[in-house]
């Protein structure tokens, strides 16, 4: 029996099935982490640390700018603006998971509000954009929308690039948070609200470096794919 069990444990088909099963449970845990929880102390960061880590990894990127407007000379100036002027909620609080994601969304909205066309638009172009449809005259709001689409593509592309990469970067930093959450479900007051597979698969993933690496790599590939679709 021991020999049969050893053979089954080393069967490539069974190994693949086990890794896939653990990966599926890991993916299911993401939803609970994003909903908010108290079961993980790992990778908790305040807004300043999060922004500095992102800037350090992407400094010199041609894909997007690290500040939303040329009025900010450095990333540090933008960070101070977020803290003192925009007053991002929970700026100085170390959080992770869903709470960190909520704070991130406020920062991204702030970044997006600085977006502008940054090109000259002539009176002739404005007038020429206005025409008629089967329902009557084109409203000025529609004219502005068409001008932004025609003139602001370059600026908007960089802003969207920043937002997409910030989202990817955030979710990439949550891998250890998700695994820690899975571990800590066992024995928690609200343990009955979560699948018993979470702590079981967490133990399996943590005890097998190859499995952990494969699951983390697959997770990162999904993030890259979703970023490409977003952009």
């Amino acid at each position: 029996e021991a020999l049969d069990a050893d053979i089954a444990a080393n069967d490539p088909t069974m190994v693949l099935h086990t890794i896939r099963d653990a990966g599926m449970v890991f993916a299911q845990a993401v939803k609970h982490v994003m909903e908010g929880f108290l079961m993980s102390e790992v990778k908790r960061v305040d807004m300043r640390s999060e922004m500095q880590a992102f800037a350090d990894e992407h400094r010199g990127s041609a894909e997007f700018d690290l500040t939303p407007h040329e009025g900010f000379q450095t990333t540090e100036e933008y960070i101070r603006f977020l803290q003192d002027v925009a007053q991002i909620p929970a700026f100085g609080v170390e959080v992770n998971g869903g709470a960190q994601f909520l704070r991130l969304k406020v920062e991204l909205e702030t970044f997006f509000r600085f977006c502008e066309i940054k090109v000259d638009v002539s009176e002739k172009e404005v007038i020429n954009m206005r025409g008629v449809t089967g329902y009557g005259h084109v409203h000025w709001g529609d004219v502005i929308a068409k001008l932004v689409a025609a003139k602001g593509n370059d600026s908007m592309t960089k802003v969207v690039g920043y937002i997409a990469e910030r989202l990817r970067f955030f979710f990439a930093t949550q891998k250890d948070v998700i695994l820690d959450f899975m571990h800590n479900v066992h024995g928690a007051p609200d343990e009955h609200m979560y699948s018993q597979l979470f702590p079981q698969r967490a133990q399996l993933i943590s005890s097998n470096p190859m499995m952990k690496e494969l699951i983390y790599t697959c997770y990162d590939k999904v993030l890259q794919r979703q970023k490409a679709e977003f952009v």
Side-chain angles (χ1 to χ4, degrees):
E1 292 181 1
L3 179 60
D4 290 340
D6 187 57
I7 293 174
N10 290 280
D11 179 10
T13 303
M14 291 299 298
V15 171
L16 179 60
H17 174 77
T18 301
I19 294 175
R20 282 179 173 173
D21 178 69
M24 289 175 63
V25 175
F26 182 86
Q28 292 166 5
V30 176
K31 173 178 179 290
H32 298 295
V33 170
M34 289 301 107
E35 288 176 344
F37 62 100
L38 295 173
M39 299 176 202
S40 176
E41 298 288 337
V42 304
K43 295 292 182 75
R44 289 190 175 187
V45 294
D46 57 27
M47 185 92 249
R48 174 176 293 279
S49 299
E50 180 183 350
M51 295 292 294
Q52 288 175 336
F54 181 80
D56 290 342
E57 185 169 315
H58 298 86
R59 203 173 304 280
S61 172
E63 185 180 351
F64 52 81
D65 298 322
L66 291 172
T67 58
H69 191 270
E70 58 190 16
F72 297 106
Q73 299 298 316
T74 64
T75 304
E76 177 59 29
E77 286 187 14
Y78 177 50
I79 293 174
R80 287 203 302 268
F81 171 84
L82 294 174
Q83 180 179 15
D84 301 332
V85 181
Q87 297 184 347
I88 300 294
F91 182 94
V93 181
E94 293 185 345
V95 293
N96 59 14
Q100 186 182 352
F101 183 63
L102 283 176
R103 186 177 65 189
L104 169 64
K105 291 199 296 183
V106 178
E107 187 269 315
L108 294 181
E109 180 180 352
T110 303
F111 193 98
F112 186 81
R113 286 177 179 273
F114 277 95
C115 184
E116 55 189 15
I117 296 179
K118 296 183 181 179
V119 294
D120 294 330
V121 178
S122 68
E123 180 181 352
K124 180 180 178 180
E125 288 175 319
V126 174
I127 295 173
N128 202 55
M129 279 286 187
R130 197 177 189 211
V132 295
T133 68
Y135 303 100
H137 292 289
V138 175
H139 296 291
W140 286 114
D142 297 324
V143 173
I144 294 173
K146 289 194 290 184
L147 281 170
V148 170
K151 296 281 191 176
N153 186 61
D154 291 341
S155 299
M156 187 63 69
T157 297
K158 283 201 168 186
V159 171
V160 172
Y162 173 87
I163 293 173
E165 181 57 19
R166 281 286 279 129
L167 289 170
R168 186 211 64 78
F169 181 81
F170 161 74
F171 281 104
T173 63
Q174 300 302 299
K175 294 191 289 288
D176 289 340
V177 178
I178 297 165
L179 187 59
D180 192 49
F181 162 79
M182 292 169 64
H183 273 294
N184 293 328
V185 164
H186 180 66
D190 53 354
E191 178 181 359
H192 63 283
M193 298 176 59
Y194 304 104
S195 170
Q196 292 302 308
L197 292 176
F198 286 155
Q200 295 173 14
R201 297 301 181 265
Q203 182 62 37
L204 185 63
I205 294 170
S206 296
S207 63
N208 191 319
M210 181 190 71
M211 180 183 296
K212 182 178 179 180
E213 179 65 23
L214 288 172
I215 291 173
Y216 275 22
T217 299
C218 183
Y219 178 91
D220 287 333
K221 286 182 178 179
V222 171
L223 294 182
Q224 288 288 0
R225 184 188 69 201
Q226 293 302 112
K227 174 190 171 182
E229 292 181 2
F230 180 84
V231 175

